[in-house]
Amino acid sequence: AYEIGVRRVGSEMCIRDRYIGVAGLVSLTSCSDFLDHLPDNRIDPQNPKQLQLMLVDGYVNYDYATMCELSSDNMVDNHAPDANGVTYEATGSNDPILDQFFAWEDANMSSKQDSPTAVWQGCYHAIAVANHALKKIEEFKAAGKFTTGEDADRLNAAYGEALLVRAYHHFILVNLFSKQYGKNSATDQGVPYSTEPEDKVQVAYERGTVAQVYDKIEADLIEGLKYVNDQYYSVLRYHFNTTAANAFAARFYLFKRDYVKAEQYATAALGSNPAEKMRKDYWSTSFTSLDSDATTFYSSSSSSNFLLIPTNSIAFISMCNNYYAAGARYACNRGAATSTLYGYGPCWNTNFLPTMAQHLYVNSKQEYGMWPSWMKMLFEYTDKVAGIGYPKRIRAEFTGEETLLTRAEARIFMGKIDEAVSDLNIWAQSHDTDASHPLTQLTSKVIKNWYKKENATSNGQDPRAYILQDLNIEQVCEPAPGNTSYTLDDNKLPYLWCVLHFRRIDQVFTGTRWFDIKRFGIEITHQIGRTRTEVLKLDDDRRAFQIPTEAIQAGLTPTPRAVKGITESAMTKANLNLSIVR
């Protein structure tokens, strides 16, 4: 309740959110009298410990996985014919917005969980919490309070966490709603960078540029890293702890193509023995239920989980709906499944990584697609008798595996091939828990031989036809200053394909594949139904999600669109009309 004002108007509860024009304008007609006054019932923390408790609410409570996975090549349309002409047209879409995601249309058919509106609002809510904390810290320091002892340490820790929260959520927003950081960042639209608590009903915001947003993220990130402190958290993994902060820095600099810093921060997160940060114990365990499998995967005691973010999400229903009788129109199936959950690899020749055998959900409806057991929806009951509550999904936002692959990618571009292969081998060997199907050693020779287009076969479990894609990263973003020699060449290509392959397996259903598609300029095709084909080209405006209709209504400039002759002004008008009808 840090940024929400509530007041009764007759029998209706009206809520005024002030998150960069998202929900703030939704209820104008019913709450007009209320909006004549600034609502303010924010919590006012009185000491550093209360500040830290306040920051528990500083993490996005919605999940961007659905919008990104449906937009990526990790999902297919079961209504489209497979290689044998078979379709599953009886399967249905859980929500019309899923159709928009898959077709790369402006997704405005819903504002509930997993929608652009929900993610936008959730991120700006978290940013608002961070800004209120930072303002309070400023007040404490101006008054000369809490300057010594544990109070001073807690205040510094809260300062560091708040800055990291603010940086991280802007990082998510700019990578969802803007073009990829790169050659055109000085002119490409960014997102509003909020640094002050709001004390006005209407605030005018500008989107700025991607470069400006990245500069501000970097400033907050570097400053926050100085003060992050693991000592004062009861559950470390639910806060920006030191390890998670370094993992975030590694990802940030990887996206900027500053490989020296990406390697530096990844190493700081992984420590001297990265193998200890893999979830090998999980892979070697057989679980008696899907719930116990999922809760163990997202356990706060796992050394692999650097930062955990609980979200209100129906991602399971949207992407794994073959659990139910109707199946799912969009699913991880066919070539998408072969590229992630169900395909050969350079050091295993079984249908899938042996460790997947006890974690891959392929019930009697597997022809509709498959999903890993850790995707199982968790549920928070508000009334067990009535059976009502909230569908939940925990995001393992930063992990040992993902950070290791970040470092491997940075090292490949730096020409440190042996070190990169060592990292890739650590990732692979962490899955070597099935004595009956041992993995072979991953070597440079194995990688160079396996990741060759001419070695791809027509075998249904060979992913190479789908994963050996053209990488256009040089057209998207040049290496950072000081990294100018770290460009893509033919020698690095097999190793990068290996990293991208392993990351697809490791991060499937998280949405991060979409970021790789943007960063590397990968062009992908979606077959929609029997006759429609959409191609996402390198320079396609649809690589940036359209900002929510509510934000456009509040005065923000829409993301440019140039699709099939539809002008930006016509697209905006259509979005506004749809919002009014809805």
Side-chain angles (χ1 to χ4, degrees):
Y2 309 114
E3 193 68 354
I4 299 178
V6 180
R7 177 184 171 187
R8 291 279 181 182
V9 179
S11 60
E12 181 182 4
M13 180 73 80
C14 293
I15 300 178
R16 167 67 173 174
D17 294 59
R18 289 174 279 121
Y19 307 132
I20 319 298
V22 176
L25 298 182
V26 174
S27 303
L28 280 178
T29 55
S30 59
C31 301
S32 57
D33 61 333
F34 164 56
L35 292 180
D36 292 336
H37 306 282
L38 177 70
D40 196 342
N41 65 343
R42 294 175 293 220
I43 292 173
D44 186 19
Q46 297 300 305
N47 57 59
K49 190 171 184 178
Q50 289 181 355
L51 263 178
Q52 289 183 298
L53 292 173
M54 173 179 165
L55 283 168
V56 171
D57 195 36
Y59 296 85
V60 61
N61 60 341
Y62 293 106
D63 193 341
Y64 59 83
T66 299
M67 54 195 286
C68 291
E69 288 292 283
L70 266 292
S71 300
S72 78
D73 51 1
N74 280 352
M75 292 279 158
V76 301
D77 180 4
N78 279 325
H79 287 193
D82 65 11
N84 298 314
V86 177
T87 65
Y88 299 107
E89 295 183 44
T91 59
S93 176
N94 175 258
D95 190 306
I97 200 171
L98 304 183
D99 303 328
Q100 293 182 307
F101 289 147
F102 193 79
W104 302 309
E105 296 170 353
D106 288 358
N108 49 26
M109 294 295 287
S110 174
S111 60
K112 63 183 182 182
Q113 301 106 310
D114 310 310
S115 68
T117 295
V119 173
W120 177 280
Q121 177 174 346
C123 284
Y124 277 115
H125 169 84
I127 291 165
V129 173
N131 284 337
H132 283 297
L134 290 167
K135 183 67 173 179
K136 196 64 183 180
I137 292 167
E138 183 182 310
E139 292 174 3
F140 284 156
K141 289 184 176 180
K145 293 183 177 180
F146 311 116
T147 58
T148 60
E150 182 179 316
D151 280 339
D153 291 340
R154 282 187 179 274
L155 198 64
N156 283 333
Y159 176 68
E161 183 181 5
L163 287 171
L164 289 164
V165 164
R166 188 167 74 183
Y168 164 75
H169 288 94
H170 282 109
F171 181 71
I172 292 299
L173 287 165
V174 75
N175 280 289
L176 291 175
F177 296 101
S178 299
K179 289 285 192 72
Q180 179 60 39
Y181 179 89
K183 291 184 176 181
N184 300 316
S185 292
T187 55
D188 283 340
Q189 282 181 332
V191 294
Y193 204 96
S194 176
T195 59
E196 297 290 337
E198 294 177 3
D199 55 7
K200 297 180 177 63
V201 172
Q202 291 286 7
V203 180
Y205 286 95
E206 298 293 334
R207 293 187 62 169
T209 67
V210 171
Q212 289 170 339
V213 174
Y214 262 73
D215 287 346
K216 292 173 182 177
I217 291 170
E218 185 170 19
D220 279 349
L221 172 60
I222 297 304
E223 180 71 2
L225 277 164
K226 297 176 185 176
Y227 295 94
V228 64
N229 190 323
D230 296 353
Q231 186 175 348
Y232 300 107
Y233 300 113
S234 57
V235 184
L236 194 62
R237 300 296 194 270
Y238 285 93
H239 298 267
F240 258 116
N241 54 77
T242 303
T243 303
N246 280 302
F248 171 32
R251 186 187 298 177
F252 173 80
Y253 284 111
L254 188 75
F255 280 32
K256 286 193 72 176
R257 298 197 69 189
D258 189 335
Y259 298 121
V260 173
K261 290 181 180 177
E263 181 191 33
Q264 170 194 334
Y265 286 109
T267 300
L270 292 165
S272 59
N273 189 357
E276 293 181 347
K277 301 292 177 68
M278 306 295 107
R279 57 177 87 248
K280 189 166 186 175
D281 289 344
Y282 166 82
W283 293 120
S284 62
T285 302
S286 296
F287 296 94
T288 57
S289 72
L290 291 174
D291 283 344
S292 61
D293 187 313
T295 54
T296 301
F297 187 89
Y298 297 112
S299 171
S300 61
S301 63
S302 169
S303 60
S304 170
N305 293 327
F306 295 170
L307 178 65
L308 297 168
I309 302 179
T311 66
N312 297 321
S313 173
I314 55 172
F316 173 77
I317 297 173
S318 299
M319 294 189 284
C320 311
N321 216 8
N322 57 335
Y323 184 73
Y324 302 105
R329 176 169 183 176
Y330 305 108
C332 186
N333 203 8
R334 306 173 189 167
T338 303
S339 304
T340 54
L341 298 170
Y342 203 68
Y344 293 161
C347 51
W348 66 93
N349 58 10
T350 49
N351 287 357
F352 42 79
L353 266 172
T355 48
M356 287 287 184
Q358 52 197 355
H359 301 286
L360 187 62
Y361 200 82
V362 284
N363 66 359
S364 59
K365 300 184 183 303
Q366 71 184 74
E367 67 271 21
Y368 297 144
M370 55 192 68
W371 47 275
S373 47
W374 60 86
M375 268 296 295
K376 175 68 170 67
M377 183 174 69
L378 305 176
F379 202 81
E380 178 185 358
Y381 285 99
T382 55
D383 187 333
K384 278 200 170 185
V385 175
I388 58 176
Y390 298 100
K392 307 289 286 190
R393 183 175 183 229
I394 298 175
R395 288 192 62 87
E397 197 63 19
F398 295 100
T399 66
E401 289 83 357
E402 187 265 338
T403 304
L404 185 70
L405 294 175
T406 291
R407 187 171 73 174
E409 181 183 324
R411 285 176 163 176
I412 292 166
F413 276 106
M414 296 169 73
K416 297 182 176 182
I417 301 300
D418 290 343
E419 292 94 328
V421 171
S422 176
D423 285 344
L424 291 167
N425 200 54
I426 290 170
W427 184 91
Q429 294 306 313
S430 71
H431 295 77
D432 189 14
T433 61
D434 185 348
S436 61
H437 297 93
L439 271 65
T440 58
Q441 189 76 7
L442 192 64
T443 66
S444 181
K445 182 178 180 180
V446 168
I447 291 173
K448 291 172 70 175
N449 182 63
W450 202 85
Y451 291 97
K452 283 184 177 180
K453 290 185 178 182
E454 58 266 33
N455 289 344
T457 70
S458 58
N459 187 301
Q461 273 70 55
D462 189 340
R464 284 174 286 194
Y466 311 105
I467 64 175
L468 303 186
Q469 299 154 306
D470 292 338
L471 305 182
N472 301 303
I473 192 169
E474 302 300 336
Q475 289 93 308
V476 175
C477 181
E478 297 174 344
N483 291 220
T484 51
S485 64
Y486 301 154
T487 54
L488 175 61
D489 57 43
D490 290 342
N491 180 58
K492 296 171 183 174
L493 190 56
Y495 305 100
L496 289 170
W497 275 333
C498 184
V499 167
L500 291 168
H501 183 199
F502 284 7
R503 190 180 287 129
R504 284 187 76 174
I505 296 170
D506 187 81
Q507 294 284 295
V508 65
F509 290 99
T510 68
T512 56
R513 171 61 179 173
W514 179 244
F515 301 141
D516 279 352
I517 288 170
K518 292 179 66 172
R519 291 192 306 116
F520 279 89
I522 297 172
E523 296 187 347
I524 60 175
T525 299
H526 279 182
Q527 185 67 39
I528 304 171
R530 288 182 175 272
T531 59
R532 182 180 174 187
T533 300
E534 292 287 337
V535 180
L536 191 73
K537 293 290 188 179
L538 174 63
D539 58 352
D540 203 309
D541 288 336
R542 298 173 297 176
R543 288 177 178 266
F545 289 104
Q546 183 61 268
I547 63 174
T549 301
E550 298 88 345
I552 297 172
Q553 288 176 305
L556 280 185
T557 305
T559 300
R561 288 289 186 256
V563 182
K564 295 183 177 179
I566 301 176
T567 65
E568 180 182 329
S569 59
M571 185 77 71
T572 302
K573 183 177 180 181
N575 288 344
L576 294 178
N577 288 339
L578 178 60
S579 174
I580 293 169
V581 171
R582 189 176 74 241

